[in-house]
């Protein structure tokens, strides 16, 4: 990129990098606390995430770093492993090891071209998952917004503990005022003036309010002095017994990170005219997490909001991210005390604003309107995250996506075909009623690969068709949608053909793909189902039936229907 860099882009990338920094600093600190880690680790992670992706990532504009979607997952993985008392150093070590695992998983997935794993979350389950995540984040930040802390495991426990604390009068009025003011400012500015750095404005005003109104004396918690300088290269050490639990969490985090990265990359590739390479994206995001894990950071993902800010500010290359990383390093080296008076409720407001932008209520409404089964999937995924937690929620979401694919293969769409007046070809009689038919001929279409999972479905439906009176002489299978036949289905076809032949019905195939035909020959089915059973099109099969039987088209709909 540097060798082919055009000087005309330098000014835009520098300005975009400076603007991006104003968003990176407060969000990095806020998302670190969301993950249950010290705020400074969010800045370390931001720096290394930007540098790692700039060196290995393919996109010219994507911005990687701490992410609101990963925060609860990191906390759910790390915090149960930290000893009682919540030692921050131990939490950082666990989070860094988690980053190394996530990075290794994603890099290896990219090297072995496993980019398809990002498709394991279908769109309906993604919508349900992120909505559950948004609610989880919102509830987790409410105590900090109100100026106190609670102990609770899971959404319901935290919500109950929050309500009880409010009823017990633990609310710090000054903290609530600062948090609500910051939240309102961020939401209003984002709506009225999207390009304005609303997060930076709220942070600056909150720091000013601490100085003017002496909010620390009024019980408002502050971030405090950040460690000066940059952390040394560190290989985290954790007990071997905990590695298995960390790895389980790393798998879920890697999946969410890759899904977010590839989907965001696709959006911005359209804007920049680039092509998305899922495998290279895996290597890029994996390198970013590996880099963060070696410098006291935690796993990273792509941020759609920060990428949008960078792009709108003029970013056209990864130099923008490097400028942002350099600016944060300068902050840590030159002015580490600049954010000492940043109120914790302001960080909570930043996270809550991110959770509200994460939610997709409109998507749920659209699913309910367009496809009820997908709406049910989204609701189940939402409840899984909300009730079981983010880690179990992502496992349920993936399982639901896989089961949904299996369900559609198991019970695919099926159709009886007929000829419609004024239209060429043969069409689904459910949607285009027919006015004539050929006596003794049934044309059946099965819209899926023929596999072990649906072989019984195919067989039973064919048997129900041929049991119709009068029994069909020919049953033509419109096989163009059948993209595969496995050995279980092949055995079924052999038995089914024998049964139909015994009853006087010939099983015929039309439009069967050459690759599938070769498999049938390899299974030795053609010893029984001979060449005269295969036709290149449905029309040629119908013409062969007419020629052999002398049947002619008769007024009235076909008697053969699907059950």
């Amino acid at each position: 990129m540097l060798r082919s860099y055009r000087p005309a882009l330098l000014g835009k990338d520098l300005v975009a990098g400076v603007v991006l920094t104003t968003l990176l600093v407060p969000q990095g600190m806020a998302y670190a606390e969301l993950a249950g880690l010290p705020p400074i680790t969010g800045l370390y992670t931001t720096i290394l995430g930007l540098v790692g992706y700039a060196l290995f990532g393919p996109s010219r504009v994507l911005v990687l770093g701490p992410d609101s979607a990963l925060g609860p997952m990191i906390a759910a993985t790390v915090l149960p492993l930290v000893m009682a008392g919540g030692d921050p150093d131990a939490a950082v070590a666990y989070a860094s090891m988690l980053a190394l695992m996530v990075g290794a998983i994603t890099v290896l997935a990219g090297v072995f071209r496993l980019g398809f794993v990002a498709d394991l979350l279908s769109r309906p389950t993604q919508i349900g998952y992120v909505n559950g995540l948004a609610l989880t984040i919102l509830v987790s930040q409410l105590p900090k917004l109100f100026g106190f802390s609670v102990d609770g495991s899971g959404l319901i426990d935290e919500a109950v503990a929050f309500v009880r604390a409010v009823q017990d009068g633990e609310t710090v009025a000054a903290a609530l005022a600062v948090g609500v003011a910051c939240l309102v400012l961020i939401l209003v500015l984002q709506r009225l003036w999207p390009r304005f750095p609303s997060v930076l404005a709220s942070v600056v005003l909150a720091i000013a309010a601490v100085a003017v109104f002496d909010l620390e004396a009024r019980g408002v918690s502050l971030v405090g002095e950040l460690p000066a300088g940059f952390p040394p290269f560190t290989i985290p050490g954790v007990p071997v017994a905990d590695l298995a639990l960390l790895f389980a969490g790393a798998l879920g985090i890697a999946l969410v990170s890759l899904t977010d990265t590839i989907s965001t990359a696709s959006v911005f590739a359209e804007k920049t005219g680039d092509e998305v390479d899922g495998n290279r994206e895996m290597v890029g995001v994996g390198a970013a997490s590996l880099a963060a894990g070696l410098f006291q950071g935690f796993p990273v993902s792509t941020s759609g909001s920060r990428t949008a800010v960078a792009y709108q500010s003029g970013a056209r290359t990864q130099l923008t991210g490097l400028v942002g990383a350099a600016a944060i390093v300068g902050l840590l080296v030159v002015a580490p005390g600049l954010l000492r008076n940043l109120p914790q409720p302001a960080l909570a407001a930043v996270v809550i604003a991110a959770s509200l932008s994460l939610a997709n209520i409109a998507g749920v409404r659209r699913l309910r309107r367009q496809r009820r089964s997908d709406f049910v999937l989204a609701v189940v995924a939402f409840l899984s995250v909300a009730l079981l937690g983010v880690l179990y929620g992502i496992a349920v979401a993936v399982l639901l996506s896989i089961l949904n694919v299996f369900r559609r293969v198991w019970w695919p769409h099926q159709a009886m075909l007929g000829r419609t007046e004024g239209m060429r070809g043969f069409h689904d009689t459910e949607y285009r009623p027919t006015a004539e038919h050929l006596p003794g001929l049934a044309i059946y279409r099965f819209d899926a690969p023929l596999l072990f999972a649906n072989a019984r479905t195919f067989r039973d439906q064919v048997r129900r068709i041929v049991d119709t009176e009068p029994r069909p002489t020919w049953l033509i299978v419109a096989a163009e949608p059948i993209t595969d036949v496995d050995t279980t289905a092949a055995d079924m076809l052999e038995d089914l053909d024998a049964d139909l032949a015994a009853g006087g019905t010939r099983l015929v195939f039309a439009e069967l793909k050459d690759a599938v035909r070769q498999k049938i020959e390899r299974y030795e089915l053609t010893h029984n189902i001979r060449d005269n059973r295969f036709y290149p099109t449905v029309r040629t099969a119908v013409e062969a039936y007419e020629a052999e039987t002398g049947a002619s088209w008769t007024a009235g709909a076909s008697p053969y229907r699907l059950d």
Side-chain angles (χ1 to χ4, degrees):
M1 181 272 290
L2 292 176
R3 283 197 301 268
S4 61
Y5 191 81
R6 290 185 290 127
L9 299 177
L10 180 60
K12 293 182 178 180
D13 282 338
L14 288 175
V15 171
V18 173
V19 172
L20 182 63
T21 304
T22 64
L23 190 64
L24 293 173
V25 172
Q27 284 194 345
M29 298 172 66
Y31 297 160
E33 293 211 334
L34 179 62
L37 301 168
I40 186 64
T41 61
L43 300 185
Y44 298 157
T45 302
T46 300
I47 296 168
L48 273 303
L50 292 172
V51 173
Y53 187 82
L55 293 176
F56 293 95
S59 173
R60 291 183 290 161
V61 296
L62 285 192
V63 177
L64 267 70
D67 185 64
S68 59
L70 298 190
M73 300 182 72
I74 296 169
T77 304
V78 169
L79 295 186
L81 300 176
V82 179
M83 300 297 291
D87 179 13
D89 292 337
V92 171
Y94 276 108
S96 297
M97 180 59 73
L98 187 63
L100 295 180
M101 288 183 172
V102 170
I105 291 169
T106 50
V107 167
L108 289 175
V111 169
F112 288 102
R113 309 187 68 81
L114 301 178
F116 67 89
V117 300
D119 298 329
L120 290 178
L121 279 174
S122 66
R123 183 59 179 166
T125 52
Q126 282 184 52
I127 291 174
Y129 173 78
V130 298
N131 283 335
L133 198 60
L135 180 61
T136 300
I137 294 171
L138 175 63
V139 171
S140 71
Q141 295 301 301
L142 285 177
K144 188 186 297 184
L145 190 75
F146 278 64
F148 56 81
S149 61
V150 298
D151 292 326
S153 59
L155 177 69
I156 295 178
D157 285 348
E158 290 182 353
V160 171
F162 167 73
V163 172
R164 287 176 178 171
V166 171
Q167 291 175 340
D168 293 341
E170 296 185 22
T171 302
V172 178
L176 180 60
V178 170
V180 170
C182 288
L183 180 59
V184 171
L185 181 63
I186 293 172
L187 296 178
V188 170
L189 288 177
Q190 285 179 345
R191 185 174 183 82
L192 299 181
W193 196 0
R195 294 192 178 187
F196 186 81
S198 56
V199 173
L200 176 64
S202 66
V203 167
V204 170
L205 291 177
I207 293 174
V210 170
V212 172
F213 300 106
D214 192 17
L215 296 181
E216 187 173 14
R218 297 174 182 269
V220 178
S221 298
L222 307 179
V223 168
E225 192 82 21
L226 296 178
F230 199 72
F233 177 86
T234 305
I235 298 179
V238 300
V240 175
D242 293 336
L243 291 179
L245 294 175
L246 280 176
F247 184 75
L251 289 174
I253 292 171
L255 178 59
V256 173
S257 176
L258 291 173
T259 302
D260 284 347
T261 297
I262 293 178
S263 60
T264 305
S266 300
V267 171
F268 285 92
E270 295 179 2
K271 298 179 182 293
T272 60
D274 295 331
E275 294 291 333
V276 176
D277 187 334
N279 295 308
R280 288 188 63 200
E281 289 292 353
M282 284 186 165
V283 173
V285 72
S289 285
L290 284 172
L294 294 173
F295 289 89
Q296 300 181 22
F298 49 87
V300 301
S301 181
T302 301
S303 169
S305 62
R306 278 167 280 174
T307 302
V309 168
Y311 185 79
Q312 291 171 358
S313 302
R316 292 299 178 268
T317 73
Q318 282 297 330
L319 185 61
T320 295
L322 295 177
V323 170
I328 299 174
V329 171
L331 172 67
L332 295 177
V333 173
V334 177
L338 188 63
L339 300 175
R340 189 191 75 81
N341 289 333
L342 177 59
Q344 293 282 3
L347 290 181
V350 172
V351 176
I352 290 174
S355 72
L356 295 177
S357 66
L358 195 64
N360 189 356
I361 306 302
V364 176
R365 292 173 179 166
R366 179 174 57 83
L367 291 177
R368 183 177 182 182
R369 183 175 65 253
Q370 294 179 345
R371 191 182 180 98
R372 187 57 62 93
S373 61
D374 284 351
F375 169 74
V376 171
L377 282 176
V379 171
V380 174
F382 167 80
L383 293 175
S384 299
V385 175
L387 300 179
L388 302 178
V390 290
L391 290 180
Y392 289 111
I394 188 65
V396 170
V398 171
L399 181 61
L400 286 174
S401 297
I402 295 173
L403 288 178
N404 191 36
V405 172
F406 189 74
R407 177 186 66 85
R408 293 179 180 179
V409 173
W410 194 354
W411 296 305
H413 180 265
Q414 303 168 65
M416 299 301 299
L417 305 185
R419 193 166 70 173
T420 300
E421 185 176 357
M423 297 186 67
R424 298 179 62 184
F426 297 86
H427 306 276
D428 189 339
T429 57
E430 182 178 352
Y431 299 99
R432 298 187 182 278
T434 59
E436 57 180 356
H437 68 283
L438 279 172
L441 177 66
I443 309 174
Y444 169 60
R445 192 180 71 204
F446 190 77
D447 293 346
L450 199 51
L451 308 172
F452 70 94
N454 57 28
R456 184 187 297 272
T457 302
F458 179 92
R459 183 199 64 189
D460 292 347
Q461 184 60 69
V462 168
R463 284 178 173 174
R464 284 192 288 267
I465 294 171
V466 299
D467 285 343
T468 304
E469 292 296 336
R471 183 183 178 97
T473 304
W474 278 28
L475 189 146
I476 299 175
V477 178
E480 194 273 338
I482 299 178
T483 57
D484 192 14
V485 175
D486 69 2
T487 55
T488 301
D491 291 342
M492 177 276 296
L493 286 176
E494 186 173 18
D495 295 339
L496 180 63
D497 178 66
D499 290 345
L500 297 184
T505 299
R506 181 186 299 179
L507 184 63
V508 173
F509 294 88
E511 300 181 356
L512 192 67
K513 291 178 170 56
D514 291 340
V516 181
R517 173 77 178 272
Q518 288 180 359
K519 290 182 179 180
I520 287 179
E521 292 174 352
R522 205 161 50 240
Y523 300 151
E524 299 181 349
L525 275 181
T526 50
H527 289 183
N528 298 318
I529 305 178
R530 300 187 182 279
D531 290 344
N532 63 349
R533 307 283 198 89
F534 298 95
Y535 294 89
T537 66
V538 174
R539 178 174 297 279
T540 55
V542 171
E543 290 173 350
Y545 174 77
E546 291 178 278
E548 180 173 312
T549 64
S552 59
W553 291 94
T554 304
S558 172
Y560 307 115
R561 298 282 189 273
L562 294 178
D563 291 342

